[in-house]
Amino acid sequence: QVQLVESGGGLVQAGGSLRVSCAASGRTFSSYGMGWFRQAPGKEREFVAGINWNGGSTRYADSVKGRFTISRDDAKKTVYLQMNSLKPEDTAVYYCAASRTGYGSSFGGYAYWGQGTQVTVSS
């Protein structure tokens, strides 16, 4: 089993940068694909980025491609989401998730979820 705790959210101005982190517990973290999702008020949860078990492959939503970078540090059991050139429409609660089967965009493929961290981008 994996427990996930996000941190690093906050308030940032448009054009700024922020890095959110997700610390995992459990001995098998390195075997999981990891993903970041977000949910804005009144909207459905959407995929942001995913990274495979060894960090060799990543994928991104079109809306964040070129601005966001997902990475992982298995020694620290942590996955990161570096967010640059932030826009007001990036405002949401950001969730990390762990998957035994991949790192895709479907939230149904993820077995474990964190509690989320709020990111607010002011215009």
Side-chain angles (χ1 to χ4, degrees):
Q1 191 160 352
V2 176
Q3 292 184 327
L4 305 171
V5 179
E6 300 94 336
S7 62
L11 174 65
V12 62
Q13 287 189 330
S17 297
L18 199 63
R19 188 179 77 165
V20 291
S21 303
C22 173
S25 64
R27 293 177 294 175
T28 59
F29 171 77
S30 61
S31 67
Y32 284 82
M34 300 296 295
W36 283 98
F37 290 76
R38 67 186 181 186
Q39 188 166 18
K43 295 188 177 181
E44 294 186 351
R45 191 170 299 190
E46 64 175 358
F47 173 78
V48 176
I51 188 166
N52 77 329
W53 67 277
N54 67 1
S57 295
T58 58
R59 53 169 57 110
Y60 298 92
D62 288 342
S63 59
V64 307
K65 205 171 291 184
R67 299 188 299 122
F68 290 11
T69 303
I70 188 171
S71 61
R72 64 189 298 159
D73 184 337
D74 286 350
K76 296 182 178 179
K77 294 184 179 180
T78 301
V79 62
Y80 304 98
L81 185 68
Q82 177 68 44
M83 302 181 289
N84 298 329
S85 302
L86 282 161
K87 304 175 182 180
E89 51 263 44
D90 294 318
T91 295
V93 177
Y94 282 71
Y95 299 90
C96 73
S99 171
R100 296 188 192 95
T101 59
Y103 58 111
S105 59
S106 171
F107 62 78
Y110 292 82
Y112 304 103
W113 292 82
Q115 83 290 347
T117 186
Q118 177 70 48
V119 172
T120 303
V121 184
S122 63
S123 57

